[in-house]
Amino acid sequence: MSTLAPDTPPAPLRPRRGLVAAIGFAELFYAAAGALPLILGLGLKIQELAPGGKETVLGLVTALGGLATVLANPISGHLSDRTTSRYGMRRPWILGGSLVGLAGLAVLALAGTVALVALGWVVAVCGYQAMVAGLTATVVDQFPPERRQRVAGVFSMCNVVGVVPAILISQVLKSSLLAQVVLCGLLAVGAAAVLCAVLPDRRLDPAERRPVSLHSLAASLLILPRQARDFRLLWVQRLLVSVGFALISSYSLYYLQSRLAMPTAEAVSLVGVTTLLGTGLSGLFAYLGGRWAGRTGRGKPFVLWATLILAAMLVLKAATASVLVVLVVTVVSGAATGVYYAVDLGLVTRVLPDERDAGRFLGAFSMAKHLPSAVAPALAPVVLAIGSDPFAAGPNYFLLFLTCGLVTLAAAPLVNLVRGVR
């Protein structure tokens, strides 16, 4: 079976008024529910249950979550491309994924062992990746190519700004991790329900449904079509850029404790401040970058310069030994990250190998972002143990972030090799 037949893709549906806002809010609260455990919840929970080996345990748990992401997103996208439900192709995955995610977060918060923490996190990740697979595919389903860059800007803005409600909820309900994750999860369910109510979802005729098989599932994970050169290039550069960011959020707390010798309470507060600042700027620049790129019809220059700036900020963070530099890196990298992810997503929606398989290919593209999350956190303890940090006693964060910066820099030349879009 081939999912790459050059048939004419289905015409985008006529989007209803308010649909972009509904997609944005669903993405916002999906991101909030997924971000809250990664910001502080997992780190503090593991520090409570396994204080002696917290770095290694956190690396393993986040790696399991990353692996679940790598598998769940493209598989869910592939299955949604073939869903013949009377409720549509994407609705069951958007709403059902939000409910599964909520259940996983509850297990994580109530867990009394590291094993249950890992189980809850994996279940939550699988649910939310099913939700976002459906969400991302709606951008291609509902909008023509010339509008996708601007919609991608809104989509990416809401994704990064999702950390803001997560932080606010964690501060207001700081005495109860269970209350935090349940509230975030319920907001995601509510936003998914609203979107499903207004979404003019495509209904796939069972006669047009291509079969699902072990081969097709494996292809959704492993096969990038040879003839889709631009898609492959964007996939590889996204993979390289994502390496550095697979570690920053997970290790921010421990980084401050080690490099700046901060007490836990003070480090937690600074993580909250820098997260709010960086994500606020990322959201703003995702929106502005998406609109500007859409207006000019050029996306590659935005992606190239954002990649170079991100690499420079990672190298600077490697040599950081003051709160001031941490704040500077937060501001600059936050703005660059917003532009990068918004414009990069807009570009890839225009070079999909087959828009009938939008869920599959956008899931594969998401894999390039999340695959480092499955590998890098598990390898980080090994890198941290090499040599010594020249700026502080303890794990070698200098080598860790320097390596991430150099890997990100290697992604820059790939951008100019893309030919199908400007």
Side-chain angles (χ1 to χ4, degrees), residues 28-405:
L28 176 75
F29 290 114
Y30 143 77
L36 191 147
L38 285 174
I39 294 166
L40 291 173
L42 271 177
L44 293 175
K45 188 77 176 178
I46 288 171
Q47 186 167 269
E48 172 190 336
L49 296 174
K54 60 184 181 181
E55 288 91 351
T56 300
V57 174
L58 178 64
L60 291 174
V61 172
T62 53
L64 285 174
L67 179 60
T69 298
V70 167
L71 297 174
N73 194 301
I75 288 177
S76 297
H78 174 68
L79 294 176
S80 74
D81 291 333
R82 288 156 172 74
T83 296
T84 56
S85 164
R86 65 174 182 165
Y87 300 107
M89 297 171 65
R90 314 301 181 187
R91 285 192 188 109
W93 297 91
I94 293 171
L95 184 57
S98 69
L99 292 169
V100 173
L102 173 60
L105 290 181
V107 171
L108 184 157
L110 293 170
T113 66
V114 170
L116 278 178
V117 170
L119 175 63
W121 181 231
V122 168
V123 170
V125 165
C126 289
Y128 288 126
Q129 290 307 308
M131 178 182 178
V132 80
L135 280 173
T136 311
T138 62
V139 177
V140 175
D141 290 346
Q142 303 291 329
F143 301 95
E146 62 272 15
R147 289 193 60 188
R148 290 175 193 167
Q149 185 65 75
R150 292 192 179 192
V151 178
V154 174
F155 190 91
S156 298
M157 173 187 71
C158 293
N159 180 276
V160 296
V161 174
V163 177
V164 176
I167 288 290
L168 294 176
I169 289 171
S170 70
Q171 294 303 308
V172 173
L173 301 174
K174 63 176 65 178
S175 61
S176 173
L177 178 60
L178 178 62
Q180 294 172 27
V181 298
V182 167
L183 179 56
C184 266
L186 287 174
L187 288 171
V189 171
V194 170
L195 173 59
C196 289
V198 302
L199 179 67
D201 200 5
R202 189 189 311 280
R203 294 184 182 178
L204 181 65
D205 188 324
E208 299 177 358
R209 178 181 180 270
R210 288 161 291 166
V212 175
S213 64
L214 289 178
H215 177 272
S216 71
L217 290 172
S220 71
L221 294 172
L222 303 174
I223 296 177
L224 296 180
R226 293 180 180 177
Q227 65 269 40
R229 177 180 180 274
D230 287 346
F231 182 84
R232 293 167 67 89
L233 284 169
L234 289 173
W235 191 94
V236 172
Q237 62 86 26
R238 170 66 73 97
L239 178 75
L240 295 174
V241 169
S242 298
V243 169
F245 295 94
L247 301 171
I248 288 178
S249 60
S250 297
Y251 281 86
S252 291
L253 178 63
Y254 302 161
Y255 170 85
L256 293 174
Q257 290 173 322
S258 174
R259 180 63 69 85
L260 301 180
M262 281 189 176
T264 298
E266 187 177 341
V268 167
S269 296
L270 184 56
V271 168
V273 169
T274 56
T275 300
L276 285 172
L277 180 61
T279 54
L281 287 167
S282 291
L284 174 62
F285 278 84
Y287 178 75
L288 295 176
R291 286 187 65 84
W292 192 5
R295 181 174 299 174
T296 62
R298 297 179 62 85
K300 287 162 57 175
F302 293 87
V303 173
L304 175 61
W305 281 104
T307 300
L308 293 173
I309 291 170
L310 291 171
M313 290 301 101
L314 283 165
V315 173
L316 182 59
K317 186 161 187 172
T320 293
S322 73
V323 173
L324 177 60
V325 179
V326 169
L327 292 174
V328 170
V329 169
T330 297
V331 169
V332 177
S333 63
T337 300
V339 172
Y340 174 82
Y341 282 120
V343 180
D344 201 45
L345 176 61
L347 288 180
V348 84
T349 64
R350 304 186 68 175
V351 297
L352 295 177
D354 186 344
E355 290 193 2
R356 296 175 305 155
D357 278 327
R360 169 201 165 175
F361 288 115
L362 289 172
F365 191 65
S366 177
M367 184 195 301
K369 178 180 178 181
H370 296 297
L371 185 60
S373 299
V375 178
L379 296 177
V382 177
V383 178
L384 289 170
I386 297 174
S388 60
D389 192 327
F391 295 91
N396 195 350
Y397 283 100
F398 173 76
L399 180 60
L400 183 68
F401 286 110
L402 178 63
T403 301
C404 291

